[in-house]
Amino acid sequence: MFGNVHPWLIPLAFFYLIIIPVGIFSNVIMIICFFVNPRLRSPFHILLTLTCLADGIHVCGQIIFVFQMLTNTYSYQSTCYMLNVLPVIGLTLAAPLLMQIGLDRLLAVSFPIRYRELQFQKLFYTSIHLIFPILYTISILYLGFLERNNEQVKCAIPTALAGISFKVFTLSSHAIYVSIILAYLMTAILLKFHDTSSRFKAVFKSIGVTVGIVLFGWAITTVSNTFGLFVTDDMEVYNLIQMYSGITVNIAISSNLIIFYTINPEYQLTVKMLMDGTCGKLPTFSDSASELQNLRKNTKSQET
């Protein structure tokens, strides 16, 4: 069955046979938690849930690769692009969303009263955070669409983006990751000088661990993708480097549930109640107009 397949692709295919169901399950549970727990309806949790959705779609893209691997089939690169449009969207959305989550946490610590008021303008506030991720994803998709070709490939996410589009994605990712590091580092520093609730700290810690693991995975991936062309001129070997460097990323994006369940009490409670079938007893989130009015009064008193 694997007679005409590069031997180094075989262990990669079996790795993805394991990580695909784990990644889908992990991110689906995170999304379900958002819908069943009213306390997880803030703009921050909307951004986090969208990140989990992007990660879940991303890991689904490996299904096509595994299928072609096990059936020893190939496809045109242009066909591979069309088959992987959704996974590429998940791939390109995730990092900008993490950056926006970092900016959200930084704003929450730096301007807590103003931030709390913005929570009552949920649609507007969330939409502002989504502008860059959406424009960035559309740009990468457009470049990939322009570069479609009829080369025969094993259809994986790296081969769905050919030439310039993948290089632009890789290099722009470096700038996004630096921004993420700066946002979370500044937030962590400010937390040491602010009296914040234990709930906020638990949320920040859980997302911080998630970001750390994802950044480690993407660091390996982007370095491999950037310097892979300097190592070899053989495109088959370069594609192998791309695919193997994606292992750490796929592990990272499949770990969301484990991290949040371990660190964040809110998600731990929600998951336990999902398992017990007692989600209807979850406490509601206070979102009253009187609270907003009090906050505005506090803001005015501070200004005077």
Side-chain angles (χ1 to χ4, degrees):
M1 181 170 64
F2 300 112
N4 297 322
V5 178
H6 195 291
W8 281 101
L9 284 174
I10 299 173
L12 194 61
F14 284 104
F15 163 78
Y16 284 121
L17 279 175
I18 298 172
I19 205 66
I20 289 170
V22 172
I24 293 174
F25 176 80
S26 173
N27 288 292
V28 166
I29 295 298
M30 289 290 291
I31 294 169
I32 292 174
C33 286
F34 170 79
F35 284 104
V36 302
N37 189 344
R39 292 179 65 88
L40 304 179
R41 304 286 174 79
S42 67
F44 162 76
H45 287 101
I46 293 173
L47 294 172
L48 177 61
T49 303
L50 288 174
T51 304
C52 292
L53 177 62
D55 288 343
I57 295 174
H58 176 186
V59 79
C60 285
Q62 312 303 341
I63 295 174
I64 301 169
F65 167 70
V66 172
F67 173 79
Q68 290 196 346
M69 202 32 249
L70 296 178
T71 58
N72 196 22
T73 56
Y74 292 81
S75 63
Y76 291 119
Q77 191 278 331
S78 57
T79 304
C80 181
Y81 172 85
M82 299 307 297
L83 290 173
N84 275 300
V85 165
L86 288 179
V88 169
I89 290 174
L91 169 70
T92 51
L93 266 178
L97 283 172
L98 283 176
M99 183 180 74
Q100 296 303 318
I101 290 173
L103 294 175
D104 171 84
R105 297 293 84 187
L106 181 60
L107 180 62
V109 177
S110 303
F111 307 99
I113 296 177
R114 177 56 181 159
Y115 177 81
R116 189 71 180 124
E117 285 191 324
L118 286 171
Q119 303 308 290
F120 293 90
Q121 304 174 44
K122 191 179 300 184
L123 179 60
F124 171 76
Y125 180 74
T126 306
S127 299
I128 293 297
H129 276 292
L130 292 177
I131 291 175
F132 173 69
I134 291 173
L135 291 179
Y136 176 76
T137 299
I138 290 174
S139 300
I140 298 299
L141 282 175
Y142 178 70
L143 287 175
F145 180 81
L146 293 179
E147 291 188 306
R148 292 168 302 147
N149 58 68
N150 291 327
E151 179 186 355
Q152 291 280 333
V153 297
K154 285 288 184 188
C155 189
I157 294 177
T159 55
L161 295 174
I164 298 298
S165 58
F166 193 78
K167 291 178 182 178
V168 170
F169 165 71
T170 301
L171 294 175
S172 60
S173 294
H174 290 305
I176 293 173
Y177 301 144
V178 170
S179 301
I180 291 173
I181 292 172
L182 291 176
Y184 283 89
L185 182 61
M186 290 175 64
T187 304
I189 293 173
L190 288 173
L191 275 176
K192 292 184 178 293
F193 302 98
H194 285 71
D195 184 20
T196 54
S197 66
S198 58
R199 183 169 177 263
F200 183 94
K201 290 180 179 179
V203 170
F204 179 76
K205 183 178 179 181
S206 51
I207 191 62
V209 172
T210 301
V211 168
I213 295 174
V214 170
L215 285 178
F216 174 76
W218 276 115
I220 294 176
T221 301
T222 52
V223 168
S224 301
N225 290 335
T226 303
F227 296 102
L229 288 173
F230 297 100
V231 175
T232 178
D233 295 328
D234 188 330
M235 288 308 299
E236 184 178 18
V237 175
Y238 177 62
N239 287 335
L240 276 173
I241 293 174
Q242 288 180 312
M243 293 174 190
Y244 266 94
S245 66
I247 286 177
T248 51
V249 171
N250 281 275
I251 292 175
I253 65 177
S254 300
S255 304
N256 292 326
L257 178 62
I258 297 173
I259 295 168
F260 276 83
Y261 181 82
T262 303
I263 299 175
N264 192 310
E266 198 72 65
Y267 280 94
Q268 190 175 98
L269 171 66
T270 309
V271 172
K272 286 181 178 179
M273 297 189 83
L274 276 173
M275 295 174 65
D276 296 339
T278 56
C279 296
K281 299 179 181 179
L282 284 165
T284 57
F285 179 70
S286 176
D287 198 29
S288 63
S290 60
E291 184 178 357
L292 177 58
Q293 187 177 5
N294 290 333
L295 287 168
R296 285 174 176 163
K297 289 180 180 178
N298 291 335
T299 304
K300 290 179 180 178
S301 63
Q302 287 186 4
E303 289 174 352
T304 56

